[in-house]
Amino acid sequence: MNAPDTRTAILDLAEELVRSRSFNAFSYQDLADGIGIRKASIHYHFQTKEDLGVALVERLRRQAIAWASVLVERNATPLEKLDAYLDFQAQNCSSDGLICPQGVLGAEYNALPSRVQESYVEFLEQIQTWLASLLRKGQEQGVFMDDVPPEDQAALIQSAIQGALQLSRASGKQQRFEAVAKGLRDHVLCPVDG
Amino acid sequence: MNAPDTRTAILDLAEELVRSRSFNAFSYQDLADGIGIRKASIHYHFQTKEDLGVALVERLRRQAIAWASVLVERNATPLEKLDAYLDFQAQNCSSDGLICPQGVLGAEYNALPSRVQESYVEFLEQIQTWLASLLRKGQEQGVFMDDVPPEDQAALIQSAIQGALQLSRASGKQQRFEAVAKGLRDHVLCPVDG
DNA sequence: GTCTATAGCGGGATAGAC
DNA sequence: GTCTATCCCGCTATAGAC
């Protein structure tokens, strides 16, 4: 949408198609039709589909880092960071039928080109590390429950969010996502106040 | 394997391929090669791939009902049922690279044939209903936390389990699944004993 | 119920003109 | 950087012999 250049337009549409249908269920023809150019022109920017997949996941990683750095500049608290994360994922859950790319790629992991697999695993670890880090800080500050290691809390949150997006989309009940997000938040919060 | 008839052998292998690669990333040729017959013979049993997908999901639904009825015959308590469910999903998390079919089909939902989508949604609702029912009973018996509606607990458990399988497989860290399963169990259990 | 053979299409990818 | 044209392959699906 209104991308500054063709390469960006391709990545934008590819991301949308991954989140809608999965990596293996869209084609260069779909990209060409959506952008209004020919298949061969897509190959000029991304010689193979594996190249496109790697570029897509690497862009997701950079975007995630940029997104997180905004929170740092705002001196966001651990709870504010967690809420920002939950809100961000909730936006996926509107009516557009898109879910988070992590979940899609994880589900078809064995069918991904090998270099896409590698980028994807690093992306997952980046999210896991970021979540565990903010959860640890929240535990130290006494606002999060510390009966469980922050790494385990992070794994639960990451898993539940991506699973909930999948369930909500298919069932058509987005309140199911909201219930999960609220449950996760209450689960880590110390039971002093809301 | 060692299926009694060809039709069952096809369904068994199709299920394995879905759980490994996704529905859209395996072909009739894969089935034919794995079973040792020709593509055209697969079409004799399942005229279209959509038919195969529907038969597969419907079989999953029947198997789930049969599995649950065994627990009823054993007079299993709500906690025993929950543990059986977590154990069953944990078996997926061994080293064979397979995850639960619910998660795979949910991730590629928009790319599924329409009748497969319909069967899949009913499968999801069946699991959700079963989980919510056992959680409600556990709440009534005072063994599960009742600060949250059982439907919301069920959505959290179902989401987290299928997300955790996806994360664990890709990251190669199956302890991440175990941490999630343990976290879910502790989350619903009343904090009296383990 | 399984086979051979083939139709018909769409996939990823490349060559070369503009 | 985008185009036309094309290659080759694998896919789903069907026809008809055995």
Side-chain angles (χ1 to χ4, degrees):
Chain A
M1 345 209 158
N2 287 348
D5 54 64
T6 302
R7 186 187 160 91
T8 306
I10 295 168
L11 286 171
D12 288 348
L13 182 52
E15 183 176 325
E16 185 181 320
L17 288 167
V18 164
R19 293 174 50 199
S20 169
R21 294 189 218 160
S22 88
F23 184 78
N24 286 298
F26 80 89
S27 69
Y28 272 39
Q29 191 63 58
D30 295 324
L31 295 172
D33 293 344
I35 294 171
I37 57 177
R38 301 290 169 173
K39 266 200 305 180
S41 308
I42 313 283
H43 280 284
Y44 170 81
H45 296 279
F46 302 98
Q47 204 167 358
T48 70
K49 204 180 174 187
E50 177 165 20
D51 292 333
L52 172 59
V54 171
L56 182 57
V57 177
E58 290 301 311
R59 191 178 73 154
L60 287 168
R61 291 182 59 195
R62 288 194 304 273
Q63 287 172 338
I65 290 171
W67 180 85
S69 78
V70 170
L71 295 176
V72 172
E73 287 165 20
R74 283 192 206 153
N75 292 316
T77 65
L79 178 56
E80 286 168 346
K81 286 183 182 177
L82 177 62
D83 281 336
Y85 177 77
L86 296 176
D87 282 351
F88 178 79
Q89 297 293 353
Q91 290 168 12
N92 293 329
C93 206
S94 47
S95 52
D96 54 8
L98 304 182
I99 60 176
C100 67
Q102 303 98 284
V104 177
L105 299 176
E108 61 181 342
Y109 182 76
N110 286 343
L112 294 177
S114 61
R115 281 162 44 229
V116 178
Q117 288 182 332
E118 293 166 17
S119 282
Y120 172 67
V121 170
E122 291 177 31
F123 181 38
L124 280 188
E125 294 301 330
Q126 180 179 308
I127 300 170
Q128 162 77 16
T129 301
W130 181 79
L131 277 174
S133 154
L134 80 85
L135 290 164
R136 168 171 292 113
K137 197 154 289 181
Q139 287 189 4
E140 290 166 359
Q141 297 178 3
V143 290
F144 291 162
M145 300 286 288
D146 62 356
D147 55 338
V148 165
E151 292 79 13
D152 292 2
Q153 286 179 334
L156 176 60
I157 291 172
Q158 199 180 355
S159 298
I161 288 295
Q162 87 180 40
L165 287 170
Q166 294 163 8
L167 292 184
S168 298
R169 178 175 69 178
S171 70
K173 298 180 180 169
Q174 64 191 61
Q175 73 257 30
R176 225 167 262 183
F177 176 86
E178 291 153 15
V180 170
K182 182 172 185 311
L184 290 170
R185 190 176 188 276
D186 294 345
H187 181 51
V188 298
L189 262 188
C190 279
V192 192
D193 58 325
Chain B
M1 316 276 168
N2 287 347
D5 53 63
T6 303
R7 185 187 160 92
T8 305
I10 294 169
L11 285 171
D12 288 349
L13 182 52
E15 182 176 327
E16 185 180 320
L17 288 168
V18 164
R19 293 174 52 199
S20 170
R21 295 189 218 161
S22 86
F23 184 78
N24 286 299
F26 79 89
S27 70
Y28 272 39
Q29 190 63 59
D30 294 324
L31 295 171
D33 292 344
I35 293 169
I37 57 177
R38 300 290 168 171
K39 269 197 303 180
S41 307
I42 313 284
H43 280 284
Y44 170 81
H45 296 279
F46 303 98
Q47 205 166 358
T48 70
K49 203 180 175 188
E50 177 165 20
D51 292 333
L52 172 59
V54 171
L56 182 56
V57 178
E58 290 302 311
R59 191 178 73 153
L60 287 169
R61 291 182 60 195
R62 288 194 304 274
Q63 286 173 338
I65 290 171
W67 180 85
S69 77
V70 171
L71 295 176
V72 172
E73 287 165 20
R74 283 193 207 153
N75 291 316
T77 66
L79 178 56
E80 286 168 347
K81 286 183 182 178
L82 177 62
D83 280 337
Y85 177 76
L86 296 176
D87 281 351
F88 178 80
Q89 298 293 351
Q91 289 169 10
N92 292 329
C93 204
S94 48
S95 52
D96 54 8
L98 304 182
I99 60 176
C100 66
Q102 304 98 283
V104 177
L105 299 176
E108 61 181 343
Y109 182 76
N110 286 342
L112 294 176
S114 60
R115 280 162 45 229
V116 178
Q117 288 182 332
E118 292 165 19
S119 282
Y120 171 66
V121 170
E122 291 177 31
F123 182 38
L124 281 188
E125 294 302 331
Q126 179 179 309
I127 300 170
Q128 163 76 16
T129 301
W130 181 79
L131 277 174
S133 154
L134 81 85
L135 289 164
R136 167 171 292 114
K137 197 154 290 182
Q139 287 189 4
E140 289 166 0
Q141 297 178 2
V143 290
F144 290 162
M145 301 285 289
D146 61 357
D147 55 339
V148 166
E151 292 80 13
D152 292 1
Q153 286 179 334
L156 176 60
I157 290 171
Q158 198 181 356
S159 298
I161 289 295
Q162 87 180 38
L165 287 170
Q166 294 164 9
L167 292 183
S168 297
R169 177 175 70 178
S171 70
K173 297 179 180 168
Q174 64 193 60
Q175 75 257 28
R176 225 167 263 185
F177 176 85
E178 290 153 15
V180 169
K182 183 173 184 309
L184 290 170
R185 189 177 188 276
D186 295 344
H187 181 52
V188 298
L189 261 188
C190 279
V192 192
D193 59 326

